[in-house]
Amino acid sequence: MATHIAPLRKLWALHVLDGNDIHLSLKELYEKLSNGKSGCYWELFEVYKHLRSLGYVVGRHGIPWSVKGQHIKSGTCSLEGSQESNEMLEMEPKDENSVIELFNNMQITDVSPAFNVYLPNSKFRKSSPGDPSFVLYISRCSPPSRVEIEALERKHGAIPFKFCHVENGRVSFFSFAKTELPVLS
Amino acid sequence: MMPRWKGKGLQAKANADPMSKIVSQLQSSLIQFETRGLLSSCSVLVEVDAELADLLNRSCFGRPRITAQEDKQWFQLDMEEAFYLCFSLKCLKVIGEDGSIKSNEELWDYFKSKKLVFPVSYKVYSHLRHKNWVVRSGLQYGVDFVAYRHHPALVHSEYAVLALSEGDNDLNGRLRVWSDVHCTVRLCGSVAKTLLTVIVNSNNQGANSPSCLEHYTVEERTITRWNPERSREDQTSPKNGTKKGVTRF
């Protein structure tokens, strides 16, 4: 494992690569994620990590799954296992960027969706991912208003969406679903 | 969340005795006896005989007050309950301090003076009552109302209701910050209720008179917490020949 301070992209790979050195990688990773314009990535990382550790398939909304020319294990989009890591480090810059940009340039805004999430065991395939089980928004400031939620319902149609709130290391997910109580007799 | 009936056979009992019919009987009786309510601070007090007392109890309007009288009973109605009987069901008249009957507009102004958000909370109350849900105060749960499918003796309430209004003039102020969402959802869950927000849009009609109410629109939304630890099974992949529960989002 490289001991020099690597750019963010390699830290990401190193973090998930090597369980033994994970402690060091995480510290470097934390520092990187807290600095400057990548300061908002920490919450994204927490959410991503939380869902991935439970087996969910998580992809960035709006970024295509397949990376041309790579043999990425189907069913995952993260970078686990030494085989993928070697492949990733060997990737062409163009392709490397498309995976790294999972977090680069990502802004948490209440109006742009962060992730597409698929259930674990859902026979997910990168070549044809299908519709996500739900789209996830990361909320920073306040809960969404009714107007905001309605706009999202129009945008996503049949695909459900959830809001995720991260604070103090706690990741919580909420649904705001339209309903209509039945008329009783 | 499915309704939780309090005992065997109670659902059938409720089905055999529809709330709409009980309320309708209450309405007829109140009109027949020309019942008058007395305005008292934030309540309306009504004096009723045994038959009306029974109907009030069965339709879940008001709370009986203990008195020494034997042949008559006193019931205390909340503002929303009283206004529903006066304005929507037109079966009750309310007398003020001066002994004169209050018009709907006068009652409206009076209740608004006691509770700033009365127009919104009344709209929500009447919206649910019109659908024949039983609506009671939700104060003990930190919400505006609780809604039951039938009499609380037969069934637990399914919904904890918050009456919210849209836009900048939202006087209720609930669920504006995430901590309130966390708190309210958690509390509702611990008492086995789903948080229901009923959002009222006044459509710029203002709140000068109760006639504004018919132009208000209402939207219902539930707020629920999703637990990723519990929802991992794919709904379409049966294991060992048995079908798994559906994962709902």
Side-chain angles (χ1 to χ4, degrees):
Chain A
M1 184 201 99
T3 52
H4 61 276
I5 296 193
L8 177 61
R9 56 175 183 262
K10 289 201 174 155
L11 282 173
W12 177 244
L14 292 167
H15 163 65
V16 295
L17 265 184
D18 192 341
N20 292 335
D21 293 301
I22 203 167
H23 190 67
L24 177 61
S25 313
L26 272 176
K27 181 171 183 295
E28 289 179 319
L29 190 65
Y30 293 172
E31 281 164 5
K32 282 291 175 183
L33 288 174
S34 309
N35 288 336
K37 69 171 183 173
S38 51
C40 66
Y41 298 156
W42 183 242
E43 281 135 344
L44 287 169
F45 175 64
E46 292 231 53
V47 176
Y48 182 85
K49 188 176 66 146
H50 184 79
L51 288 174
R52 288 289 301 136
S53 67
L54 292 170
Y56 290 86
V57 177
V58 184
R60 182 175 166 191
H61 186 87
I63 298 289
W65 281 97
S66 55
V67 178
K68 200 176 168 186
Q70 294 308 309
H71 303 292
I72 298 188
K73 187 167 142 192
S74 77
T76 70
C77 83
S78 76
L79 317 161
E80 284 164 29
S82 52
Q83 194 187 357
E84 280 99 44
S85 68
N86 289 336
E87 285 174 343
M88 207 209 70
L89 291 172
E90 284 159 9
M91 268 195 265
E92 292 290 301
K94 190 183 90 174
D95 292 320
E96 191 175 37
N97 283 339
S98 65
V99 174
I100 299 317
E101 272 166 19
L102 195 69
F103 292 110
N104 273 353
N105 303 320
M106 202 162 170
Q107 311 232 329
I108 303 181
T109 67
D110 283 1
V111 294
S112 61
F115 297 120
N116 286 345
V117 182
Y118 299 77
L119 286 179
N121 316 320
S122 59
K123 301 187 177 110
F124 174 83
R125 300 220 344 234
K126 262 190 196 284
S127 50
S128 69
D131 285 335
S133 305
F134 63 89
V135 175
L136 187 63
Y137 287 78
I138 316 287
S139 173
R140 299 206 81 189
C141 325
S142 1
S145 69
R146 187 198 73 87
V147 172
E148 287 168 343
I149 295 172
E150 264 210 345
L152 297 180
E153 280 170 344
R154 280 193 296 274
K155 177 177 173 175
H156 294 293
I159 301 173
F161 56 91
K162 292 188 192 304
F163 275 79
C164 177
H165 180 236
V166 186
E167 200 171 304
N168 267 170
R170 278 186 121 79
V171 181
S172 314
F173 302 87
F174 292 93
S175 301
F176 297 78
K178 203 161 180 173
T179 189
E180 205 167 314
L181 264 58
V183 176
L184 303 173
S185 58
Chain B
M1 206 176 277
M2 294 303 292
R4 295 180 306 131
W5 297 93
K6 287 185 171 173
K8 242 180 159 176
L10 293 183
Q11 181 172 10
K13 186 176 177 189
N15 288 341
D17 195 14
M19 189 53 64
S20 59
K21 205 164 147 212
I22 304 172
V23 173
S24 175
Q25 283 169 349
L26 171 72
Q27 182 185 27
S28 309
S29 285
L30 283 171
I31 290 172
Q32 184 190 353
F33 291 105
E34 296 180 347
T35 314
R36 300 283 181 263
L38 300 175
L39 204 51
S40 165
S41 181
C42 296
S43 317
V44 169
L45 301 172
V46 281
E47 187 185 22
V48 292
D49 66 5
E51 181 195 331
L52 264 175
D54 179 60
L55 284 166
L56 283 169
N57 278 325
R58 285 169 55 212
S59 58
C60 306
F61 280 90
R63 290 176 198 284
R65 309 298 292 165
I66 311 284
T67 67
Q69 282 173 287
E70 284 177 9
D71 55 335
K72 294 277 191 179
Q73 260 195 285
W74 283 91
F75 273 71
Q76 181 175 350
L77 300 165
D78 290 337
M79 290 191 278
E80 288 85 4
E81 291 174 326
F83 202 70
Y84 189 74
L85 294 173
C86 291
F87 179 68
S88 288
L89 297 187
K90 304 188 196 326
C91 56
L92 180 71
K93 295 211 190 299
V94 175
I95 298 175
E97 271 180 6
D98 57 358
S100 66
I101 291 179
K102 296 288 172 199
S103 68
N104 286 331
E105 281 72 22
E106 286 170 323
L107 267 185
W108 175 259
D109 287 337
Y110 179 81
F111 288 147
K112 269 199 308 176
S113 75
K114 293 292 182 188
K115 186 172 175 180
L116 217 52
V117 296
F118 180 73
V120 173
S121 74
Y122 179 72
K123 182 67 185 178
V124 173
Y125 179 89
S126 61
H127 171 76
L128 294 174
R129 272 285 191 184
H130 276 316
K131 297 209 262 193
N132 298 313
W133 285 75
V134 169
V135 186
R136 296 297 245 174
S137 167
L139 187 63
Q140 70 207 92
Y141 303 112
V143 291
D144 295 313
F145 302 111
V146 284
Y148 300 81
R149 271 186 196 249
H150 204 277
H151 196 283
L154 305 182
V155 67
H156 292 283
S157 64
E158 285 162 66
Y159 295 100
V161 185
L162 277 177
L164 304 178
S165 57
E166 272 216 279
D168 297 329
N169 59 345
D170 177 10
L171 299 162
N172 188 303
R174 290 297 299 268
L175 307 185
R176 292 306 191 94
V177 291
W178 277 111
S179 56
D180 194 13
V181 176
H182 278 273
C183 169
T184 314
V185 170
R186 186 173 174 137
L187 177 61
C188 291
S190 70
V191 290
K193 297 178 198 329
T194 301
L195 177 58
L196 177 72
T197 57
V198 184
I199 303 144
V200 177
N201 192 334
S202 66
N203 295 313
N204 292 318
Q205 294 294 312
N208 285 335
S209 93
S211 58
C212 299
L213 286 166
E214 61 180 303
H215 301 289
Y216 289 7
T217 44
V218 156
E219 188 176 292
E220 300 170 16
R221 283 188 179 273
T222 54
I223 301 182
T224 48
R225 180 137 181 222
W226 177 68
N227 188 343
E229 278 93 348
R230 287 212 218 117
S231 313
R232 287 182 264 188
E233 288 299 326
D234 178 22
Q235 64 199 40
T236 61
S237 61
K239 242 182 189 179
N240 301 326
T242 55
K243 210 163 172 212
K244 284 287 175 188
V246 173
T247 297
R248 292 194 196 284
F249 290 113

mmCIF file of all heavy atoms in Angstrom, chain A residues 70-102:
data_model
loop_
_atom_site.group_PDB
_atom_site.id
_atom_site.type_symbol
_atom_site.label_atom_id
_atom_site.label_comp_id
_atom_site.label_asym_id
_atom_site.label_seq_id
_atom_site.Cartn_x
_atom_site.Cartn_y
_atom_site.Cartn_z
ATOM 1 N N GLN A 70 -13.824 -1.935 -18.552
ATOM 2 C CA GLN A 70 -13.413 -2.428 -17.239
ATOM 3 C C GLN A 70 -14.172 -3.695 -16.893
ATOM 4 O O GLN A 70 -15.332 -3.846 -17.231
ATOM 5 C CB GLN A 70 -13.679 -1.376 -16.161
ATOM 6 C CG GLN A 70 -12.816 -0.143 -16.321
ATOM 7 C CD GLN A 70 -11.362 -0.499 -16.443
ATOM 8 O OE1 GLN A 70 -10.830 -1.232 -15.623
ATOM 9 N NE2 GLN A 70 -10.717 0.001 -17.471
ATOM 10 N N HIS A 71 -13.499 -4.563 -16.182
ATOM 11 C CA HIS A 71 -14.208 -5.741 -15.715
ATOM 12 C C HIS A 71 -14.593 -5.521 -14.269
ATOM 13 O O HIS A 71 -13.941 -5.984 -13.366
ATOM 14 C CB HIS A 71 -13.283 -6.967 -15.789
ATOM 15 C CG HIS A 71 -12.764 -7.193 -17.171
ATOM 16 N ND1 HIS A 71 -13.583 -7.582 -18.194
ATOM 17 C CD2 HIS A 71 -11.535 -7.043 -17.705
ATOM 18 C CE1 HIS A 71 -12.867 -7.687 -19.292
ATOM 19 N NE2 HIS A 71 -11.623 -7.358 -19.032
ATOM 20 N N ILE A 72 -15.596 -4.763 -14.090
ATOM 21 C CA ILE A 72 -16.024 -4.491 -12.728
ATOM 22 C C ILE A 72 -17.057 -5.532 -12.358
ATOM 23 O O ILE A 72 -17.974 -5.799 -13.118
ATOM 24 C CB ILE A 72 -16.583 -3.072 -12.601
ATOM 25 C CG1 ILE A 72 -15.448 -2.085 -12.941
ATOM 26 C CG2 ILE A 72 -17.124 -2.815 -11.202
ATOM 27 C CD1 ILE A 72 -15.785 -0.663 -12.693
ATOM 28 N N LYS A 73 -16.887 -6.089 -11.218
ATOM 29 C CA LYS A 73 -17.759 -7.185 -10.766
ATOM 30 C C LYS A 73 -19.219 -6.751 -10.820
ATOM 31 O O LYS A 73 -19.612 -5.740 -10.253
ATOM 32 C CB LYS A 73 -17.373 -7.526 -9.322
ATOM 33 C CG LYS A 73 -18.053 -8.749 -8.760
ATOM 34 C CD LYS A 73 -17.357 -9.145 -7.463
ATOM 35 C CE LYS A 73 -18.361 -9.627 -6.421
ATOM 36 N NZ LYS A 73 -17.755 -9.746 -5.110
ATOM 37 N N SER A 74 -20.004 -7.525 -11.505
ATOM 38 C CA SER A 74 -21.406 -7.126 -11.635
ATOM 39 C C SER A 74 -22.094 -7.289 -10.286
ATOM 40 O O SER A 74 -21.766 -8.155 -9.510
ATOM 41 C CB SER A 74 -22.099 -7.974 -12.691
ATOM 42 O OG SER A 74 -22.402 -9.247 -12.170
ATOM 43 N N GLY A 75 -22.994 -6.429 -10.031
ATOM 44 C CA GLY A 75 -23.707 -6.460 -8.757
ATOM 45 C C GLY A 75 -23.153 -5.467 -7.756
ATOM 46 O O GLY A 75 -23.697 -5.270 -6.704
ATOM 47 N N THR A 76 -22.044 -4.834 -8.069
ATOM 48 C CA THR A 76 -21.525 -3.821 -7.154
ATOM 49 C C THR A 76 -21.069 -2.621 -7.945
ATOM 50 O O THR A 76 -20.759 -2.724 -9.127
ATOM 51 C CB THR A 76 -20.296 -4.301 -6.366
ATOM 52 O OG1 THR A 76 -19.188 -4.407 -7.261
ATOM 53 C CG2 THR A 76 -20.556 -5.646 -5.725
ATOM 54 N N CYS A 77 -21.069 -1.510 -7.331
ATOM 55 C CA CYS A 77 -20.459 -0.380 -8.004
ATOM 56 C C CYS A 77 -19.326 0.147 -7.153
ATOM 57 O O CYS A 77 -18.685 1.110 -7.487
ATOM 58 C CB CYS A 77 -21.452 0.737 -8.296
ATOM 59 S SG CYS A 77 -21.712 1.812 -6.887
ATOM 60 N N SER A 78 -19.069 -0.471 -6.021
ATOM 61 C CA SER A 78 -17.981 0.030 -5.191
ATOM 62 C C SER A 78 -16.709 -0.695 -5.597
ATOM 63 O O SER A 78 -16.689 -1.486 -6.518
ATOM 64 C CB SER A 78 -18.274 -0.177 -3.727
ATOM 65 O OG SER A 78 -18.079 -1.524 -3.387
ATOM 66 N N LEU A 79 -15.678 -0.405 -4.881
ATOM 67 C CA LEU A 79 -14.373 -0.848 -5.365
ATOM 68 C C LEU A 79 -13.774 -1.830 -4.382
ATOM 69 O O LEU A 79 -12.816 -1.531 -3.696
ATOM 70 C CB LEU A 79 -13.482 0.391 -5.524
ATOM 71 C CG LEU A 79 -14.256 1.541 -6.184
ATOM 72 C CD1 LEU A 79 -13.583 2.863 -5.937
ATOM 73 C CD2 LEU A 79 -14.389 1.287 -7.672
ATOM 74 N N GLU A 80 -14.370 -2.984 -4.295
ATOM 75 C CA GLU A 80 -13.930 -3.952 -3.291
ATOM 76 C C GLU A 80 -13.108 -5.052 -3.907
ATOM 77 O O GLU A 80 -13.333 -5.457 -5.027
ATOM 78 C CB GLU A 80 -15.142 -4.547 -2.587
ATOM 79 C CG GLU A 80 -15.731 -3.552 -1.593
ATOM 80 C CD GLU A 80 -17.127 -3.932 -1.169
ATOM 81 O OE1 GLU A 80 -17.446 -5.121 -1.156
ATOM 82 O OE2 GLU A 80 -17.894 -3.028 -0.863
ATOM 83 N N GLY A 81 -12.188 -5.557 -3.111
ATOM 84 C CA GLY A 81 -11.396 -6.681 -3.619
ATOM 85 C C GLY A 81 -10.166 -6.197 -4.335
ATOM 86 O O GLY A 81 -10.175 -5.174 -4.997
ATOM 87 N N SER A 82 -9.114 -6.925 -4.202
ATOM 88 C CA SER A 82 -7.842 -6.444 -4.748
ATOM 89 C C SER A 82 -7.843 -6.474 -6.265
ATOM 90 O O SER A 82 -7.153 -5.713 -6.900
ATOM 91 C CB SER A 82 -6.688 -7.274 -4.200
ATOM 92 O OG SER A 82 -6.982 -8.646 -4.421
ATOM 93 N N GLN A 83 -8.611 -7.374 -6.831
ATOM 94 C CA GLN A 83 -8.595 -7.451 -8.279
ATOM 95 C C GLN A 83 -9.105 -6.168 -8.901
ATOM 96 O O GLN A 83 -8.500 -5.593 -9.795
ATOM 97 C CB GLN A 83 -9.432 -8.646 -8.756
ATOM 98 C CG GLN A 83 -9.173 -8.962 -10.208
ATOM 99 C CD GLN A 83 -10.105 -10.029 -10.741
ATOM 100 O OE1 GLN A 83 -10.902 -10.561 -9.990
ATOM 101 N NE2 GLN A 83 -10.011 -10.318 -12.014
ATOM 102 N N GLU A 84 -10.234 -5.703 -8.403
ATOM 103 C CA GLU A 84 -10.786 -4.458 -8.935
ATOM 104 C C GLU A 84 -9.845 -3.306 -8.673
ATOM 105 O O GLU A 84 -9.744 -2.385 -9.456
ATOM 106 C CB GLU A 84 -12.149 -4.134 -8.319
ATOM 107 C CG GLU A 84 -13.291 -4.893 -8.943
ATOM 108 C CD GLU A 84 -13.659 -6.085 -8.115
ATOM 109 O OE1 GLU A 84 -13.726 -5.915 -6.895
ATOM 110 O OE2 GLU A 84 -13.860 -7.153 -8.677
ATOM 111 N N SER A 85 -9.201 -3.333 -7.497
ATOM 112 C CA SER A 85 -8.351 -2.196 -7.161
ATOM 113 C C SER A 85 -7.208 -2.096 -8.157
ATOM 114 O O SER A 85 -6.871 -1.024 -8.632
ATOM 115 C CB SER A 85 -7.790 -2.352 -5.766
ATOM 116 O OG SER A 85 -6.886 -3.438 -5.751
ATOM 117 N N ASN A 86 -6.634 -3.232 -8.486
ATOM 118 C CA ASN A 86 -5.551 -3.184 -9.465
ATOM 119 C C ASN A 86 -6.060 -2.668 -10.788
ATOM 120 O O ASN A 86 -5.428 -1.857 -11.436
ATOM 121 C CB ASN A 86 -4.935 -4.589 -9.662
ATOM 122 C CG ASN A 86 -4.132 -4.986 -8.437
ATOM 123 O OD1 ASN A 86 -3.682 -4.124 -7.694
ATOM 124 N ND2 ASN A 86 -3.978 -6.275 -8.234
ATOM 125 N N GLU A 87 -7.210 -3.150 -11.129
ATOM 126 C CA GLU A 87 -7.795 -2.697 -12.381
ATOM 127 C C GLU A 87 -8.070 -1.212 -12.331
ATOM 128 O O GLU A 87 -7.856 -0.489 -13.280
ATOM 129 C CB GLU A 87 -9.102 -3.448 -12.666
ATOM 130 C CG GLU A 87 -8.848 -4.861 -13.120
ATOM 131 C CD GLU A 87 -10.131 -5.671 -13.257
ATOM 132 O OE1 GLU A 87 -11.153 -5.240 -12.697
ATOM 133 O OE2 GLU A 87 -10.092 -6.712 -13.902
ATOM 134 N N MET A 88 -8.562 -0.771 -11.166
ATOM 135 C CA MET A 88 -8.911 0.636 -11.078
ATOM 136 C C MET A 88 -7.677 1.499 -11.183
ATOM 137 O O MET A 88 -7.685 2.524 -11.837
ATOM 138 C CB MET A 88 -9.647 0.915 -9.766
ATOM 139 C CG MET A 88 -10.562 2.089 -9.886
ATOM 140 S SD MET A 88 -10.770 2.935 -8.352
ATOM 141 C CE MET A 88 -9.182 3.651 -8.176
ATOM 142 N N LEU A 89 -6.613 1.061 -10.512
ATOM 143 C CA LEU A 89 -5.405 1.874 -10.561
ATOM 144 C C LEU A 89 -4.800 1.873 -11.955
ATOM 145 O O LEU A 89 -4.063 2.779 -12.314
ATOM 146 C CB LEU A 89 -4.377 1.354 -9.545
ATOM 147 C CG LEU A 89 -4.777 1.577 -8.093
ATOM 148 C CD1 LEU A 89 -3.801 0.870 -7.163
ATOM 149 C CD2 LEU A 89 -4.823 3.056 -7.769
ATOM 150 N N GLU A 90 -5.151 0.854 -12.717
ATOM 151 C CA GLU A 90 -4.611 0.785 -14.061
ATOM 152 C C GLU A 90 -5.506 1.467 -15.076
ATOM 153 O O GLU A 90 -5.205 1.497 -16.251
ATOM 154 C CB GLU A 90 -4.426 -0.676 -14.485
ATOM 155 C CG GLU A 90 -3.214 -1.318 -13.828
ATOM 156 C CD GLU A 90 -3.338 -2.841 -13.831
ATOM 157 O OE1 GLU A 90 -4.272 -3.360 -14.483
ATOM 158 O OE2 GLU A 90 -2.506 -3.499 -13.191
ATOM 159 N N MET A 91 -6.601 1.963 -14.596
ATOM 160 C CA MET A 91 -7.586 2.519 -15.515
ATOM 161 C C MET A 91 -7.059 3.710 -16.273
ATOM 162 O O MET A 91 -6.258 4.480 -15.786
ATOM 163 C CB MET A 91 -8.831 2.969 -14.745
ATOM 164 C CG MET A 91 -9.898 1.900 -14.657
ATOM 165 S SD MET A 91 -11.447 2.603 -14.135
ATOM 166 C CE MET A 91 -11.362 2.298 -12.410
ATOM 167 N N GLU A 92 -7.586 3.848 -17.462
ATOM 168 C CA GLU A 92 -7.320 5.046 -18.239
ATOM 169 C C GLU A 92 -7.842 6.247 -17.477
ATOM 170 O O GLU A 92 -8.863 6.157 -16.831
ATOM 171 C CB GLU A 92 -8.061 4.970 -19.584
ATOM 172 C CG GLU A 92 -7.526 3.910 -20.524
ATOM 173 C CD GLU A 92 -6.160 4.288 -21.037
ATOM 174 O OE1 GLU A 92 -6.051 5.356 -21.664
ATOM 175 O OE2 GLU A 92 -5.200 3.541 -20.789
ATOM 176 N N PRO A 93 -7.174 7.361 -17.541
ATOM 177 C CA PRO A 93 -7.631 8.546 -16.808
ATOM 178 C C PRO A 93 -9.094 8.871 -17.083
ATOM 179 O O PRO A 93 -9.841 9.205 -16.187
ATOM 180 C CB PRO A 93 -6.733 9.669 -17.327
ATOM 181 C CG PRO A 93 -5.505 8.982 -17.792
ATOM 182 C CD PRO A 93 -5.920 7.613 -18.262
ATOM 183 N N LYS A 94 -9.481 8.740 -18.294
ATOM 184 C CA LYS A 94 -10.863 9.093 -18.644
ATOM 185 C C LYS A 94 -11.848 8.229 -17.860
ATOM 186 O O LYS A 94 -12.809 8.708 -17.276
ATOM 187 C CB LYS A 94 -11.079 8.909 -20.150
ATOM 188 C CG LYS A 94 -12.413 9.488 -20.623
ATOM 189 C CD LYS A 94 -12.633 9.227 -22.097
ATOM 190 C CE LYS A 94 -13.365 7.901 -22.244
ATOM 191 N NZ LYS A 94 -13.769 7.607 -23.621
ATOM 192 N N ASP A 95 -11.561 6.930 -17.846
ATOM 193 C CA ASP A 95 -12.476 6.029 -17.151
ATOM 194 C C ASP A 95 -12.354 6.174 -15.655
ATOM 195 O O ASP A 95 -13.320 6.066 -14.930
ATOM 196 C CB ASP A 95 -12.184 4.578 -17.551
ATOM 197 C CG ASP A 95 -12.552 4.351 -18.993
ATOM 198 O OD1 ASP A 95 -13.598 4.884 -19.402
ATOM 199 O OD2 ASP A 95 -11.793 3.680 -19.708
ATOM 200 N N GLU A 96 -11.147 6.391 -15.197
ATOM 201 C CA GLU A 96 -10.927 6.577 -13.769
ATOM 202 C C GLU A 96 -11.762 7.754 -13.264
ATOM 203 O O GLU A 96 -12.423 7.687 -12.258
ATOM 204 C CB GLU A 96 -9.437 6.843 -13.528
ATOM 205 C CG GLU A 96 -9.032 6.788 -12.070
ATOM 206 C CD GLU A 96 -7.533 6.945 -11.921
ATOM 207 O OE1 GLU A 96 -6.940 7.730 -12.683
ATOM 208 O OE2 GLU A 96 -6.951 6.280 -11.052
ATOM 209 N N ASN A 97 -11.743 8.805 -14.035
ATOM 210 C CA ASN A 97 -12.502 9.986 -13.635
ATOM 211 C C ASN A 97 -13.981 9.698 -13.508
ATOM 212 O O ASN A 97 -14.650 10.180 -12.615
ATOM 213 C CB ASN A 97 -12.302 11.121 -14.645
ATOM 214 C CG ASN A 97 -10.959 11.779 -14.450
ATOM 215 O OD1 ASN A 97 -10.374 11.668 -13.373
ATOM 216 N ND2 ASN A 97 -10.477 12.436 -15.472
ATOM 217 N N SER A 98 -14.490 8.916 -14.440
ATOM 218 C CA SER A 98 -15.931 8.706 -14.401
ATOM 219 C C SER A 98 -16.360 7.960 -13.152
ATOM 220 O O SER A 98 -17.468 8.122 -12.680
ATOM 221 C CB SER A 98 -16.398 7.972 -15.652
ATOM 222 O OG SER A 98 -15.848 6.676 -15.660
ATOM 223 N N VAL A 99 -15.477 7.136 -12.588
ATOM 224 C CA VAL A 99 -15.826 6.466 -11.334
ATOM 225 C C VAL A 99 -15.544 7.387 -10.153
ATOM 226 O O VAL A 99 -16.328 7.497 -9.224
ATOM 227 C CB VAL A 99 -15.013 5.153 -11.178
ATOM 228 C CG1 VAL A 99 -15.264 4.544 -9.827
ATOM 229 C CG2 VAL A 99 -15.380 4.189 -12.286
ATOM 230 N N ILE A 100 -14.416 8.053 -10.204
ATOM 231 C CA ILE A 100 -14.030 8.940 -9.097
ATOM 232 C C ILE A 100 -15.044 10.056 -8.925
ATOM 233 O O ILE A 100 -15.335 10.491 -7.834
ATOM 234 C CB ILE A 100 -12.640 9.546 -9.357
ATOM 235 C CG1 ILE A 100 -11.613 8.436 -9.448
ATOM 236 C CG2 ILE A 100 -12.289 10.532 -8.265
ATOM 237 C CD1 ILE A 100 -11.764 7.378 -8.410
ATOM 238 N N GLU A 101 -15.580 10.495 -10.052
ATOM 239 C CA GLU A 101 -16.550 11.578 -9.962
ATOM 240 C C GLU A 101 -17.827 11.161 -9.270
ATOM 241 O O GLU A 101 -18.789 11.905 -9.220
ATOM 242 C CB GLU A 101 -16.845 12.150 -11.354
ATOM 243 C CG GLU A 101 -15.849 13.254 -11.663
ATOM 244 C CD GLU A 101 -15.844 13.636 -13.128
ATOM 245 O OE1 GLU A 101 -16.836 13.320 -13.825
ATOM 246 O OE2 GLU A 101 -14.868 14.235 -13.569
ATOM 247 N N LEU A 102 -17.762 9.941 -8.729
ATOM 248 C CA LEU A 102 -18.835 9.546 -7.828
ATOM 249 C C LEU A 102 -18.968 10.606 -6.740
ATOM 250 O O LEU A 102 -20.052 10.959 -6.322
ATOM 251 C CB LEU A 102 -18.478 8.195 -7.197
ATOM 252 C CG LEU A 102 -19.611 7.456 -6.499
ATOM 253 C CD1 LEU A 102 -20.618 6.978 -7.511
ATOM 254 C CD2 LEU A 102 -19.078 6.269 -5.727
#
